[in-house]
Amino acid sequence: MIPRYLVNFNTDKLKREKSDFLVIGTGIAGLVTSLNLAKSGRVTLLSKERLAECNTEYAQGGIAAVIAQEDTPQAHYQDTLEAGAGLCNPKAVDILVIEGSKRIKELIDLGVNFDQKDEKISLTKEGAHSCRRILHAGGDATGREIRKSLVEQVSSETNITLKDGIFVIDLLTKDKEVFGVLAYDRKQEEYLIYLSKVVVLATGGAGQLYHATTNPQVATGDGIALAYRAGAKVTDLEFVQFHPTTLELEGVDNFLISEAVRGEGGVLRNQSGDRFMVKYHSLAELAPRDIVARAIYQEMKESRRNHVYLDVTALDLTFIKRRFPTIYKTCLKHGIDISQNYIPIAPAAHYLMGGILSNIHGETNIKGLFVCGETACIGIHGANRLASNSLLDGLVFGKRVADKAVTYLDQGDLNTEFSLKYDAQRLKDAEIIPSKEKIKGLMSAKLGIVREKAELEEGLAEIEGLLDCLNYDLADVKGFELQNLITLAYLTFKGALYREESRGAHYRKDFPVAETAWEKHIILQKDREWEELAIEFE
Ligand code: SIN
């Protein structure tokens, strides 16, 4: 049983801060939302770590948008739906592709310098895109460049108060309406309350569920877990995207090798040096990510090695250095000159297609609680996200969330007359708390690229055995993150076990085909018995 809160508190004793809008998370979605909200009121923007620690910072390949003369929103729409394997929300995708190009122009006006060729924006191709439509910046540093421009704007905006080192623990709600959050200030070492009629969760994903991930340490699924504790509906969590190509070296974190590398001509080779993707899909290396990741998994299994190879040796060194400076330098640092040698690569957990269920304005089933970016599930990505649609998602839906959220300013009064207390159990025996490595081990072994009933059941049973640790006040951020990861693992096992078919990133060895009857979403909500439709379908 998942508790409502993680820590002991008494709101009468806590400092309170009030604002018109509260935004949590400083990736592209949180920054864009804050900038747009600041036109209408005072925004408090919270980050749990230093500002740069977010998935946006590490996004290499680019941002997809209809810019080229020969491209159309219809083509981008179609590609997104096909990659999503029958589970995209067509209305949300329509919005993404139509509004995407407008939002990109605004980014350019803000000062983002997308790479150019012959005085035109240079566009690359990535997996499952029917034409070249990926904008990039700094070669392979697109996320960093976009974030830098947005942060400059946010820092000069007087209506935004930016605070780092604030860990949001739980939502404060009354009658299914949010009025603030309970947080921990890491610098002041104190708990406090932020009050607002509008709370926007843009807290990113949960790659830290796995040993091998492209995500930074901060990606612990906090927003999804805390929203679930407060009664928000979460959905599609069984769809975890594994990026096909990350650097696989003993003792080195799985560094992302952008899909754009394959877009520019990189090919995948097995241990025998054969270009194997041609036998798996007509688009070969540029097939949808789930297909490429599974093909690599299969080749690794057959060869009993923990990697295959990405070969860019046919590309010119000057081109490699200009187009992929970060990848070139990082591989060189680890002794691999990619212009001369194959890169050992393996898939790693990269992106959550699922998240907190919301409508096309980012509204959830809790009034005043908005979501955007990877934390949200608006239905854009279906069962498998199309490459470079994630930054676009944050950009487009961050703005839409702000447009809707400002209309809440005139609705009702902020609840300031409350007195809430909660008693979590005091921890006496630290040994009952599992390590983060244990959760990662379970997820990596039993909920990876290929799944099956027996392993999912074992994994779920093990995680259920750990749920009791959510009842203890662990009194530090690492502890709260662990509790959030356990919650996410539990929900992901449930979704993956329940979905008895294979679709997109969810592949079941025991149910290897997609079933029409399963063209629906699994929705989970706390305190509703599993057997009595804790899951429902839309
Ligand atoms: C990449 O550069 O391959 C990652 C971009 C994405 O996840 O879409």
Side-chain angles (χ1 to χ4, degrees):
M1 161 86 178
I2 309 247
R4 171 64 180 89
Y5 304 104
L6 289 183
V7 292
N8 299 305
F9 66 89
N10 176 350
T11 54
D12 296 344
K13 297 188 176 154
L14 300 179
K15 192 167 98 186
R16 299 175 179 201
E17 293 197 12
K18 227 177 359 174
S19 54
D20 295 322
F21 308 106
L22 184 60
V23 180
I24 302 149
T26 50
I28 187 168
L31 294 171
V32 168
T33 307
S34 301
L35 279 173
N36 283 287
L37 286 172
K39 295 172 193 161
S40 307
R42 286 173 307 111
V43 181
T44 300
L45 173 59
L46 305 179
S47 165
K48 74 170 171 173
E49 273 282 350
R50 64 185 185 89
L51 218 56
E53 274 315 289
C54 57
N55 271 337
T56 299
E57 178 71 8
Y58 299 93
Q60 296 179 354
I63 181 162
V66 177
I67 297 287
Q69 288 271 306
E70 65 278 17
D71 199 4
T72 61
Q74 289 78 4
H76 191 187
Y77 172 88
Q78 204 52 43
D79 293 346
T80 303
L81 255 54
E82 267 171 38
L87 282 195
C88 294
N89 171 354
K91 177 79 190 140
V93 178
D94 200 38
I95 290 167
L96 181 85
V97 300
I98 300 278
E99 295 184 7
S101 354
K102 285 188 225 155
R103 300 286 89 81
I104 291 281
K105 290 198 181 85
E106 290 164 5
L107 274 189
I108 295 169
D109 291 342
L110 273 188
V112 178
N113 283 316
F114 288 109
D115 296 334
Q116 300 206 352
K117 195 174 172 208
D118 304 330
E119 294 182 9
K120 275 179 149 171
I121 288 180
S122 157
L123 298 169
T124 195
K125 197 158 189 248
E126 287 183 350
H129 283 274
S130 56
C131 80
R132 294 179 84 89
R133 67 163 73 94
I134 319 296
L135 297 87
H136 45 91
D140 56 7
T142 314
R144 197 184 312 149
E145 292 297 315
I146 293 176
R147 214 191 58 80
K148 204 171 73 191
S149 295
L150 290 173
V151 167
E152 268 166 29
Q153 292 297 313
V154 163
S155 309
S156 62
E157 176 52 73
T158 49
N159 248 356
I160 300 179
T161 306
L162 180 57
K163 297 192 173 188
D164 61 6
I166 307 287
F167 187 89
V168 172
I169 305 168
D170 272 303
L171 294 173
L172 300 175
T173 55
K174 185 174 178 232
D175 301 334
K176 296 189 180 148
E177 185 167 349
V178 72
F179 60 89
V181 302
L182 170 69
Y184 180 69
D185 183 331
R186 305 173 81 165
K187 293 179 203 155
Q188 303 301 322
E189 298 185 356
E190 65 178 9
Y191 292 91
L192 77 165
I193 286 171
Y194 288 95
L195 293 174
S196 180
K197 281 197 289 182
V198 168
V199 175
V200 182
L201 293 175
T203 47
Q208 288 298 317
L209 282 168
Y210 291 86
H211 284 309
T213 178
T214 60
N215 293 189
Q217 293 288 332
V218 292
T220 51
D222 306 317
I224 299 171
L226 69 88
Y228 179 80
R229 285 197 291 279
K233 293 183 178 183
V234 299
T235 188
D236 285 355
L237 289 175
E238 63 275 30
F239 298 109
V240 177
Q241 182 167 79
F242 287 80
H243 195 289
T245 56
T246 72
L247 185 63
E248 178 60 49
L249 286 177
E250 186 73 31
V252 175
D253 285 347
N254 289 76
F255 173 75
L256 179 67
I257 309 285
S258 176
E259 185 145 338
V261 172
R262 280 173 279 136
E264 298 289 0
V267 295
L268 290 164
R269 298 193 186 279
N270 60 20
Q271 298 295 331
S272 318
D274 297 331
R275 196 181 155 203
F276 59 85
M277 270 316 299
V278 287
K279 73 178 188 233
Y280 289 93
H281 198 277
S282 57
L283 293 173
E285 282 81 5
L286 292 181
R289 270 186 194 167
D290 56 325
I291 292 167
V292 183
R294 271 196 301 281
I296 294 174
Y297 171 91
Q298 184 61 26
E299 295 288 324
M300 285 173 13
K301 203 164 154 235
E302 281 169 19
S303 64
R304 299 189 188 183
R305 300 293 298 273
N306 69 351
H307 61 270
V308 295
Y309 295 103
L310 181 58
D311 170 13
V312 299
T313 56
L315 303 183
D316 172 64
L317 175 61
T318 319
F319 173 77
I320 292 177
K321 281 183 172 170
R322 177 174 48 80
R323 184 67 186 81
F324 302 113
T326 321
I327 294 170
Y328 177 74
K329 281 188 214 141
T330 305
C331 289
L332 204 58
K333 189 174 90 189
H334 295 296
I336 303 165
D337 176 350
I338 64 174
S339 68
Q340 304 288 325
N341 303 109
Y342 294 172
I343 314 167
I345 58 95
H350 183 58
Y351 189 86
L352 291 185
M353 267 69 75
I356 303 162
L357 179 66
S358 83
N359 65 13
I360 52 172
H361 305 289
E363 293 170 300
T364 66
N365 62 307
I366 297 179
K367 189 167 176 220
L369 179 67
F370 287 78
V371 291
C372 52
E374 194 173 346
T375 315
C377 187
I378 302 178
I380 298 160
H381 309 302
N384 175 52
R385 175 171 67 77
L386 186 66
S388 286
N389 264 357
S390 58
L391 289 176
L392 190 68
D393 169 1
L395 182 65
V396 168
F397 286 89
K399 161 91 167 65
R400 287 182 70 85
V401 160
D403 290 349
K404 190 68 179 184
V406 296
T407 67
Y408 279 55
L409 267 187
D410 304 327
Q411 292 178 28
D413 295 323
L414 175 66
N415 175 19
T416 49
E417 300 302 313
F418 59 90
S419 177
L420 287 173
K421 277 190 198 143
Y422 185 75
D423 279 320
Q425 293 178 49
R426 311 273 167 188
L427 185 66
K428 294 195 192 86
D429 177 7
E431 280 183 15
I432 66 160
I433 306 301
S435 67
K436 188 169 152 189
E437 294 309 299
K438 173 158 175 120
I439 311 303
K440 285 174 179 246
L442 270 176
M443 293 293 288
S444 306
K446 301 189 189 294
L447 228 172
I449 293 176
V450 173
R451 302 147 180 201
E452 64 170 328
K453 186 172 184 175
E455 288 188 350
L456 290 171
E457 280 176 344
E458 278 165 31
L460 180 60
E462 286 211 44
I463 289 288
E464 279 175 337
L466 300 175
L467 287 183
D468 184 40
C469 102
L470 304 186
N471 292 311
Y472 293 90
D473 182 346
L474 300 186
D476 84 326
V477 168
K478 289 283 162 247
F480 307 146
E481 288 181 336
L482 174 73
Q483 289 169 314
N484 288 336
L485 283 171
I486 292 173
T487 308
L488 258 282
Y490 167 69
L491 298 172
T492 311
F493 268 114
K494 282 214 156 191
L497 186 59
Y498 201 79
R499 185 173 286 280
E500 294 190 329
E501 65 152 359
S502 290
R503 177 183 300 279
H506 174 69
Y507 185 83
R508 291 271 306 248
K509 219 159 53 179
D510 44 351
F511 297 96
V513 289
E515 303 286 348
T516 313
W518 267 106
E519 279 176 9
K520 51 196 176 189
H521 304 274
I522 296 174
I523 297 171
L524 303 168
Q525 193 179 16
K526 185 170 129 40
D527 294 340
R528 300 180 67 196
E529 284 301 316
W530 174 255
E531 292 77 10
E532 291 172 18
L533 283 186
I535 25 171
E536 59 190 36
F537 305 107
E538 282 193 347

